[in-house]
Amino acid sequence: MIKVAIIGASGYAGAELVSILLKHPEVLLTKLFVSEKSEDKYKKINSLYGSLYNKTDLILEPLPAAEKLKDDFKAIDAVFLATDHKVSHDIAPILYDAGCAVFDLSGAYRLKNLSAYEKYYGFKHENLELLNKAVYSLCEIASHDAIKNTRMLSIPGCYTTSAELPLIPLCREKLLDADFAPVINSVSGVSGAGRKAKLSNSFCEVSLNAYNIFKHRHLPEIEEYAGTKVIFNPHLGSFKRGILTTITAKLSAGVDASNVLSVFLKYYENKPLVRIKNELPKLQDVINQPYCDIGFTVSEDGYIVICSAIDNLQKGAAAQAVQTLNLHFDFNETTALI
Ligand SMILES: NC(=O)C1=CN([C@@H]2O[C@H](COP(=O)(O)OP(=O)(O)OC[C@H]3O[C@@H](n4cnc5c(N)ncnc54)[C@H](OP(=O)(O)O)[C@@H]3O)[C@@H](O)[C@H]2O)C=CC1
Ligand SMILES: CC(=O)N[C@@H](CCC(=O)OP(=O)(O)O)C(=O)O
């Protein structure tokens, strides 16, 4: 059994982690943390999330101050950071030095392109040594040896997971016309914005609208890992969870639907959490599930439209983080997930 802690456990991604990890036979969920000044400190997590009633009595503890953090985490094998990017940026090195395997769900350790942190995240990255150790854990694509051999695991973004799983194979195998930047339209449920109340996420304000076009922080992440310029159009939808992504691209000359299917099967046939479908995927098939469903259609004149569907809190966050933990500790990849 490994001892596991979650920082940011009262948030949407953190609570999803609790729910998954309670089912994990190799994990002893030991500690849950919120910020030092949290309104929820010392509450039971099951008082915030009724679905956890009778499943755990764990309490949300205030995170100790930085000076104490290293000693307090020496007995912990793995820690999940379900915290804001800057919080993760600041505390990950301390937890790493305490000897923990660190699974960071934020964007703080995803990009190797340093200038993107200032432009898209609004802070200068100051932990370059740890950033160099971080492995970007898109589990179906990343090297499993790399995931095993580092203790700094950076979990991909939610929109990016839904875009990169279809795009990376097609870009790597040069099936897409490089002169035509793929256009990615994604619609996310409101839980993607986190649990804290904000006017833009309140019931009467949420509609269906695009936002942050050309400046969303997942744009540099998709471009870095798919290796292509893209146009990324995120949308907020009036539903709780899930992301449906529709990608329009132009195929390279001579490429047809059978070539696309062969490449998807080459990458994903033996990957239990990516399902290649012969129809366009639906959100309802992946909600509360750890899967990414992918389907596509090709026009007679060589364009392709690919759709992917994930649950933002599962394959887009907590399930992918647990999948990474499973690979890191050599457990079965889907333990506690399916
Ligand atoms: N929601 C989603 O779909 C996805 C989220 N992510 C990423 O996961 C992370 C968490 O997201 P999400 O769950 O939505 O966010 P929430 O806002 O729902 O939760 C944030 C959590 O962090 C805690 N927290 C805030 N400040 C601190 C601090 N200084 N120290 C310790 N804990 C703190 C909050 O509790 P309190 O404020 O009470 O202290 C809360 O538990 C973010 O980096 C996000 O970008 C990634 C993929 C998808
Ligand atoms: C609907 C909504 O607001 N979604 C969030 C993205 C989800 C998220 O948490 O971003 P990371 O995956 O980078 O951590 C946003 O656009 O900022």
Side-chain angles (χ1 to χ4, degrees):
M1 291 280 260
I2 55 167
K3 286 190 178 154
V4 172
I6 301 170
I7 303 180
S10 70
Y12 285 154
E16 197 74 16
L17 279 167
V18 172
S19 173
I20 296 173
L21 289 170
L22 285 173
K23 292 184 288 192
H24 201 302
E26 305 289 348
V27 164
L28 185 62
L29 195 52
T30 309
K31 295 257 183 198
L32 305 180
F33 293 98
V34 286
S35 61
E36 217 175 342
K37 297 192 175 138
S38 173
E39 287 175 10
D40 295 320
K41 67 182 172 190
Y42 304 121
K43 290 183 186 165
K44 284 185 180 177
I45 189 156
N46 68 21
S47 71
L48 272 59
Y49 292 91
S51 58
L52 294 174
Y53 196 76
N54 273 354
K55 292 186 181 164
T56 177
D57 280 326
L58 280 168
I59 290 201
L60 296 161
E61 299 179 35
L63 191 68
E67 315 80 70
K68 275 200 78 220
L69 211 48
K70 188 170 168 186
D71 282 344
D72 284 13
F73 274 77
K74 280 188 174 149
I76 298 290
D77 301 300
V79 56
F80 289 87
L81 306 185
T83 38
D84 171 72
H85 317 288
K86 186 62 169 63
V87 174
S88 287
H89 167 274
D90 294 349
I91 63 178
I94 306 172
L95 301 165
Y96 185 88
D97 287 347
C100 303
V102 180
F103 297 81
D104 179 23
L105 279 72
S106 87
Y109 291 86
R110 289 181 194 149
L111 307 175
K112 301 297 177 195
N113 172 5
L114 286 183
S115 62
Y117 286 103
E118 282 176 75
K119 183 168 174 191
Y120 292 94
Y121 285 82
F123 65 82
K124 188 170 176 325
H125 212 294
E126 283 169 352
N127 300 322
L128 302 191
E129 207 182 313
L130 191 57
L131 183 60
N132 280 332
K133 294 189 169 101
V135 170
Y136 185 75
S137 303
L138 185 61
C139 296
E140 286 72 20
I141 301 289
S143 148
H144 290 188
D145 283 342
I147 289 176
K148 281 191 182 104
N149 293 332
T150 185
R151 284 189 292 107
M152 185 62 214
L153 291 312
S154 176
I155 309 306
C158 48
Y159 284 124
T160 48
T161 294
S162 74
E164 288 172 8
L165 285 170
L167 269 183
I168 288 176
L170 302 185
C171 290
R172 285 199 183 163
E173 304 293 328
K174 303 205 182 317
L175 263 52
L176 299 185
D177 183 339
D179 291 334
F180 182 106
V183 178
I184 303 167
N185 292 313
S186 294
V187 189
S188 171
V190 186
S191 60
R195 180 168 179 261
K196 224 167 224 127
K198 286 174 228 146
L199 182 62
S200 58
N201 299 341
S202 69
F203 188 78
C204 290
E205 298 294 323
V206 170
S207 175
L208 173 59
N209 57 278
Y211 67 102
N212 282 354
I213 290 179
F214 299 130
K215 53 184 189 210
H216 195 280
R217 63 182 181 280
H218 289 182
L219 174 65
E221 191 180 328
I222 299 168
E223 292 190 336
E224 183 170 323
Y225 290 99
T228 176
K229 178 184 167 51
V230 297
I231 310 292
F232 174 49
N233 304 322
H235 296 68
L236 183 69
S238 55
F239 50 94
K240 284 188 186 173
R241 49 200 287 171
I243 291 179
L244 186 76
T245 286
T246 303
I247 305 171
T248 307
K250 180 139 180 37
L251 293 171
S252 302
V255 171
D256 62 19
S258 68
N259 305 126
V260 173
L261 183 60
S262 302
V263 162
F264 279 146
L265 293 179
K266 172 176 158 190
Y267 278 70
Y268 298 131
E269 201 165 29
N270 301 315
K271 305 289 181 184
L273 301 185
V274 176
R275 304 188 294 195
I276 304 301
K277 295 201 154 174
N278 59 11
E279 58 185 8
L280 297 180
K282 293 185 197 137
L283 269 191
Q284 67 179 17
D285 296 340
V286 295
I287 297 307
N288 297 311
Q289 306 278 339
Y291 302 104
C292 175
D293 283 0
I294 297 176
F296 68 92
T297 183
V298 167
S299 75
E300 285 176 0
D301 57 351
Y303 288 88
I304 181 166
V305 173
I306 314 149
C307 292
S308 66
I310 62 168
D311 184 320
N312 54 300
L313 295 172
Q314 285 256 336
K315 185 61 176 164
Q320 181 135 264
V322 174
Q323 189 183 2
T324 305
L325 171 129
N326 286 338
L327 294 172
H328 178 78
F329 287 99
D330 235 346
F331 304 142
N332 183 306
E333 183 171 353
T334 57
T335 300
L337 298 175
I338 51 179

